[in-house]
Amino acid sequence: MSYLDELNSSQREAVEAIHGPTMVIAGAGSGKTRVLTYRIAFMLEQGIDPFNIMSLTFTNKAAKEMSERIGKIVGTTDGKNITMGTFHSVFSRILRYNADRIGYPSNFTIYDTQDSKSLLKDIVKELNLDDKVYKPGLVLGRISSAKNNLISPDAYVANEEIMNEDKQARRPEIARIYKTYATRCFKAGAMDFDDLLYQTNVLLRDFPDVLHYYQQKFKYILVDEYQDTNYAQYLIVKKLAAIYENICVVGDDAQSIYSFRGANIQNILNFRKDYPDFILFKLEQNYRSTKHIVEAANSVIAKNQDQIKKSVWTDNSEGSKLAVVRTLTDNEEGKVITNKIFDLKQGTASSYNDFAILYRTNKQSRSFEEALRKINIPYKIYGGLSFYQRKEIKDLLAYFRLTTNQRDEEALKRVINYPRRGIGKTSIENIIIASNQYGVSMWDVIANFNQYPVALNTGTKTKLYEFVTMIQSFTAQLSKINAYDLAQTIAKSSGILKELYSEKEKGPEEVERYQNIEELLGGIKEFTINQGEDDDKSLAEFMIDVALLTDADADKGDEKNHVTLMTIHSSKGLEFPHVYLVGLEENLFPSQMALNSRSELEEERRLFYVAVTRAKDTCTLSYATSRFIWGNLVSSEPSRFIEEIDPKHLNFEAQQRGMGKSLSGRASQFDQPFTGGLNKSVSSPASSFKSLSQLDNSKVKTGATLDLKVGYNVLHDRFGKGKVTKLEGQDADKKATIFFPHHGSKTVLLRFANLTIVDVD
């Protein structure tokens, strides 16, 4: 049987149309890679010289996979003669061959991101600029954006709009930094990643003979993920294909989600304008997902105006409807989703690596990491660090550790000069030498200079005295105020909040660090609220919990058997049997920062489409009705994207609750979650999504407004089952005293207690 017989009719037509401009719109799960691979194999079978073919991908993995598949069909020799690889790898080879034309050595160095940041840091220092204003990551992002739009240093200065943007952002010297950076790179015979595209455009623009050579060499051009190309990539491809126009672009405008990296969806939408005689093929059969998943995703993406219309369908089974889970808080969301994963794995033949939790921002991983660890479910964070391994979190936790234990030398070394207070590396080394010499801790040395002399100047001793006094003031409050109040005091007084806040408007990485601190403080606030009236609410108690969550190896688990946690952006191109799309709330997803224009909202909708179509068998959508933001419990509204799904594909579940897992992390994974009818699904009326908030379960009631009376048996998500012995207060201040057999009497504030009435005596 021919390999072509493996294709459906649409795929085969796209494979066999090898001449002229061709666009293949490939819906999610429609076999895009197979079409690209077989198209190249077919071209070779038709006698096209492999040396005349260039295939561009966005990842080395994709290029390698395609090359191996082609080799199996037509033989390894022809396959190896094709120019195939990522944009950067292919054009770096072209640049090395022609480097002398643009004044570079053929063995030019390629700077990675760290190299570039290091050079920019030096330049900022040499120009006597404020390194807190001109942070390397921020400046590099600005320069990268300029290069991807083919804006030279001189053109940057001449562009009034760009210069005004920098002035308004109080960074008027970026143009000077850019020019100096470009000069230094050229002098060093080095290019950064963006230069590989920028300089290729320069080469093809300034040397017509070079352009003509490659136009004749690459008579057939294929581009994967065309919707993700930026202006520089678009222009290179357009120039190279100008003579023969044997160009095939493959992609899906509905999965264009990288505008923040410079990707321009107009490249794929305007393909028909660039090549009026193009042929369009649509791969609309989804081989991955169930009917409910495919049609749910279709009903949402149909709301976008800027798109190439297609109708994705599947012959797969109908499958189950998308579950919609509503929880009271983000911490409960973590517990509920974790228990759902545990239950589904136990009830099926699934492995943990069949499950993925997808979220909009990295900070959301915290509640899920904590919940997974507490019942010993292995997981792995992809495309980012575990929440508790992120620098800003480790920095603040180091202050907490030092507050509770001044002998913690790792914590002391981490924060003794962060934020910077002028205590240099040599001074720290001298303190360590003194502590070893006298056989005492570093803290003993810096807190008692008279007793333990050390070689430090007067200025440094003064700064250390201020540091010691600050930590001692924190320690003095350990038993006086709760964990959240002290944590907030430390975050402010240490200077960490000020340090990160100054970065807040300076780029996505800086904003994320600030948000992570917000998330940590929100978690501490919820910890203090969930503790009973008689429980220890101190920062020291919270740190005991954290210690059980921050084992450096805790998120590694079994490499072949773990739940996957990642942002939706990182999930593109992947698939999982069971997907949990979490945090579906307005201003979180869609992001508040993406509501300024229709184009931004449409990209958020495409991101939602990508998330849903990662699922093969089941897809669960969850949201919390409240989240802690800087210590305040803020109400949340469900995402508009849930409402945009045709209700016939949704299954609204009664409000979910955390399943009694202890914050201490000592719960066994064999503790079966209490269901009490809460897992029973309730179909949504087609009339309105808002009906979810009106769900009534006559046997199970939760929340601050439940009709609670003395003698009722209730379930608390931490203390388990107990009996109400006393009620006092009114409305938002209403309290209940409850006797729990294993924990004694606890007084709880009803609006935060998350109680469930399980039966009435």
Side-chain angles (χ1 to χ4, degrees):
M1 182 179 76
S2 167
Y3 63 91
L4 294 177
D5 294 332
E6 300 174 17
L7 305 171
N8 64 37
S9 58
S10 298
Q11 291 173 330
R12 184 158 184 162
E13 289 174 3
V15 163
E16 294 178 340
I18 58 178
H19 300 292
T22 305
M23 180 163 66
V24 181
I25 297 299
S30 62
K32 168 179 67 70
T33 302
R34 173 177 287 189
V35 168
L36 266 174
T37 303
Y38 287 10
R39 181 183 174 91
I40 294 173
F42 184 74
M43 290 165 69
L44 296 176
E45 281 192 349
Q46 299 305 302
I48 293 174
D49 190 335
F51 287 98
N52 291 147
I53 300 173
M54 177 173 68
S55 178
L56 298 170
T57 65
F58 270 82
T59 65
N60 289 313
K61 180 183 177 183
K64 183 180 180 182
E65 181 182 346
M66 287 175 57
S67 181
E68 289 174 350
R69 288 192 189 183
I70 293 167
K72 290 178 181 178
I73 298 173
V74 301
T76 56
T77 303
D78 279 349
K80 288 182 178 179
N81 291 332
I82 298 168
T83 298
M84 180 181 293
T86 65
F87 280 87
H88 292 89
S89 65
V90 168
F91 296 131
S92 67
R93 294 198 295 270
I94 291 175
L95 286 171
R96 289 197 186 282
Y97 190 76
N98 298 277
D100 61 310
R101 296 291 194 103
I102 54 176
Y104 280 85
S106 60
N107 63 339
F108 62 81
T109 300
I110 298 176
Y111 280 173
D112 63 19
T113 301
Q114 287 307 116
D115 293 327
S116 295
K117 286 183 177 180
S118 178
L119 175 55
L120 286 169
K121 186 177 180 180
D122 290 342
I123 291 171
V124 167
K125 186 176 181 179
E126 291 166 11
L127 295 177
N128 293 315
L129 299 173
D130 187 343
D131 58 4
K132 291 184 178 180
V133 174
Y134 295 95
K135 288 185 175 291
L138 173 71
V139 176
L140 182 60
R142 193 71 173 157
I143 292 173
S144 174
S145 179
K147 288 181 179 179
N148 286 332
N149 286 285
L150 305 182
I151 299 172
S152 68
D154 290 338
Y156 194 103
V157 173
N159 190 308
E160 187 176 341
E161 182 180 351
I162 292 176
M163 294 298 289
N164 282 335
E165 286 177 1
D166 287 344
K167 288 176 183 176
Q168 290 174 5
R170 298 180 181 179
R171 296 185 294 264
E173 297 297 328
I174 285 185
R176 187 155 64 113
I177 298 172
Y178 180 16
K179 188 171 185 66
T180 306
Y181 174 74
T183 301
R184 292 280 289 275
C185 285
F186 184 77
K187 182 180 177 182
M191 296 187 196
D192 62 21
F193 287 133
D194 296 310
D195 281 326
L196 299 178
L197 302 178
Y198 178 86
Q199 296 296 350
T200 299
N201 271 288
V202 170
L203 178 68
L204 300 180
R205 179 196 68 195
D206 294 350
F207 300 93
D209 59 317
V210 175
L211 173 61
H212 181 73
Y213 172 81
Y214 286 107
Q215 287 173 331
Q216 295 300 321
K217 177 175 174 60
F218 300 130
K219 295 178 180 178
Y220 294 86
I221 299 172
L222 300 93
V223 185
D224 190 15
E225 303 286 9
Y226 192 63
Q227 78 279 351
D228 292 334
T229 54
N230 60 33
Y231 180 65
Q233 292 163 327
Y234 159 80
L235 206 59
I236 293 171
V237 170
K238 193 170 187 294
K239 286 179 179 178
L240 293 177
I243 294 179
Y244 294 100
E245 293 194 345
N246 291 319
I247 177 172
C248 174
V249 300
V250 181
D252 182 7
D253 58 295
Q255 298 186 63
S256 178
I257 59 174
Y258 293 121
S259 65
F260 67 96
R261 295 182 187 170
N264 187 354
I265 191 174
Q266 295 305 317
N267 292 346
I268 194 168
L269 296 178
N270 292 337
F271 187 81
R272 65 187 68 201
K273 294 180 181 178
D274 293 332
Y275 306 96
D277 58 342
F278 84 112
I279 303 174
L280 174 65
F281 297 99
K282 297 180 181 180
L283 307 183
E284 297 174 306
Q285 183 174 359
N286 180 299
Y287 291 93
R288 174 188 301 154
S289 308
T290 64
K291 282 186 172 68
H292 274 304
I293 292 171
V294 169
E295 292 172 14
N298 286 348
S299 64
V300 174
I301 201 64
K303 305 294 190 298
N304 273 9
Q305 293 183 28
D306 289 339
Q307 62 174 303
I308 299 169
K309 293 292 184 181
K310 61 182 179 298
S311 179
V312 179
W313 59 277
T314 184
D315 264 342
N316 292 341
S317 66
E318 184 174 75
S320 57
K321 295 181 179 181
L322 283 69
V324 180
V325 174
R326 174 191 182 205
T327 61
L328 293 177
T329 68
D330 48 339
N331 268 14
E332 278 204 350
E333 185 181 32
K335 295 173 188 175
V336 168
I337 295 302
T338 294
N339 278 284
K340 280 182 164 292
I341 291 172
F342 179 80
D343 288 347
L344 186 55
K345 179 184 180 296
Q346 294 300 100
T348 63
S350 302
S351 299
Y352 281 128
N353 56 349
D354 291 332
F355 298 86
I357 299 174
L358 308 182
Y359 35 75
R360 180 64 179 83
T361 63
N362 277 310
K363 72 171 185 176
Q364 292 171 254
S365 74
R366 180 193 62 83
S367 62
F368 300 97
E369 288 188 70
E370 291 183 3
L372 289 164
R373 289 183 181 187
K374 286 171 183 173
I375 59 172
N376 299 320
I377 292 181
Y379 71 89
K380 187 170 184 179
I381 301 275
Y382 282 82
L385 289 172
S386 169
F387 183 83
Y388 286 104
Q389 293 301 315
R390 294 166 193 165
K391 179 186 181 301
E392 60 278 7
I393 299 302
K394 293 179 79 171
D395 288 338
L396 188 51
L397 288 178
Y399 270 104
F400 296 169
R401 287 164 53 187
L402 196 60
T403 297
T404 58
N405 175 20
Q406 280 83 51
R407 293 180 181 274
D408 187 335
E409 296 203 347
E410 291 306 309
L412 176 59
K413 285 187 285 187
R414 186 175 188 95
V415 301
I416 194 170
N417 195 41
Y418 179 80
R420 282 181 292 181
R421 50 180 58 90
I423 301 171
K425 184 178 179 182
T426 301
S427 296
I428 296 171
E429 289 173 351
N430 288 339
I431 294 167
I432 294 172
I433 291 171
S435 72
N436 292 334
Q437 178 182 344
Y438 296 112
V440 296
S441 70
M442 289 176 64
W443 179 266
D444 289 331
V445 173
I446 64 174
N448 302 280
F449 287 131
N450 293 334
Q451 189 174 351
Y452 306 110
V454 59
L456 299 172
N457 61 43
T458 303
T460 300
K461 286 184 177 181
T462 300
K463 291 166 186 171
L464 284 166
Y465 174 78
E466 293 170 350
F467 174 73
V468 167
T469 302
M470 177 179 67
I471 299 298
Q472 288 174 335
S473 72
F474 298 156
T475 303
Q477 299 179 74
L478 265 174
S479 59
K480 297 178 181 178
I481 60 177
N482 66 40
Y484 173 74
D485 290 337
L486 181 52
Q488 191 176 47
T489 297
I490 294 172
K492 290 179 179 177
S493 300
S494 66
I496 285 182
L497 270 188
K498 183 179 179 181
E499 176 87 358
L500 294 177
Y501 186 80
S502 67
E503 302 175 349
K504 189 180 177 186
E505 303 299 329
K506 297 186 177 182
E509 290 182 8
E510 290 76 15
V511 170
E512 184 174 301
R513 284 196 285 269
Y514 187 74
Q515 290 175 336
N516 287 338
I517 294 295
E518 173 193 318
E519 177 69 16
L520 176 61
L521 292 176
I524 298 173
K525 180 71 171 184
E526 188 155 2
F527 162 80
T528 62
I529 288 173
N530 283 340
Q531 294 288 84
E533 287 289 320
D534 302 322
D535 286 339
D536 188 350
K537 300 181 181 181
S538 71
L539 186 63
E541 181 68 14
F542 174 77
M543 291 305 292
I544 292 173
D545 282 350
V546 170
L548 297 170
L549 297 171
T550 53
D551 177 0
D553 295 323
D555 64 337
K556 292 183 179 178
D558 181 346
E559 285 297 316
K560 296 182 180 179
N561 190 26
H562 53 250
V563 175
T564 296
L565 276 70
M566 60 170 57
T567 64
I568 302 166
H569 282 101
S570 299
S571 75
K572 189 167 180 290
L574 304 177
E575 60 182 40
F576 303 91
H578 309 291
V579 166
Y580 296 83
L581 179 51
V582 301
L584 283 171
E585 297 143 35
E586 283 294 299
N587 298 323
L588 183 55
F589 192 20
S591 167
Q592 187 174 18
M593 293 184 291
L595 299 177
N596 298 318
S597 66
R598 179 171 60 82
S599 62
E600 291 175 337
L601 177 59
E602 291 200 351
E603 174 145 342
E604 288 288 290
R605 190 176 283 116
R606 292 193 295 270
L607 189 59
F608 182 82
Y609 176 84
V610 166
V612 172
T613 55
R614 298 312 92 201
K616 296 170 67 176
D617 302 324
T618 71
C619 182
T620 299
L621 313 176
S622 73
Y623 71 96
T625 58
S626 60
R627 286 180 184 268
F628 281 100
I629 300 179
W630 296 114
N632 296 314
L633 192 64
V634 178
S635 297
S636 306
E637 293 294 326
S639 169
R640 68 188 69 192
F641 298 145
I642 303 178
E643 189 171 3
E644 289 176 355
I645 297 174
D646 189 327
K648 68 183 180 183
H649 303 301
L650 297 177
N651 205 25
F652 291 84
E653 298 188 350
Q655 183 163 295
Q656 297 291 292
R657 300 296 312 281
M659 302 302 182
K661 298 294 183 273
S662 168
L663 279 172
S664 66
R666 291 182 284 272
S668 163
Q669 76 177 60
F670 298 107
D671 291 341
Q672 293 300 314
F674 171 83
T675 55
L678 290 180
N679 290 332
K680 185 181 291 183
S681 298
V682 181
S683 296
S684 167
S687 59
S688 172
F689 171 75
K690 292 179 181 178
S691 60
L692 178 62
S693 63
Q694 301 163 359
L695 286 174
D696 176 42
N697 187 322
S698 59
K699 295 183 180 179
V700 180
K701 298 182 179 180
T702 64
T705 59
L706 78 176
D707 186 17
L708 200 63
K709 295 181 181 179
V710 172
Y712 276 18
N713 290 321
V714 297
L715 184 78
H716 186 279
D717 61 2
R718 181 177 182 193
F719 303 122
K721 192 173 181 180
K723 178 173 287 189
V724 178
T725 60
K726 183 180 179 182
L727 290 169
E728 56 186 321
Q730 296 294 326
D731 301 324
D733 295 322
K734 193 171 184 179
K735 297 179 182 179
T737 300
I738 305 166
F739 177 76
F740 297 97
H742 299 293
H743 299 277
S745 290
K746 305 289 181 184
T747 300
V748 296
L749 196 61
L750 289 187
R751 64 189 172 114
F752 291 126
N754 298 341
L755 296 174
T756 303
I757 298 175
V758 292
D759 55 59
V760 180
D761 283 355

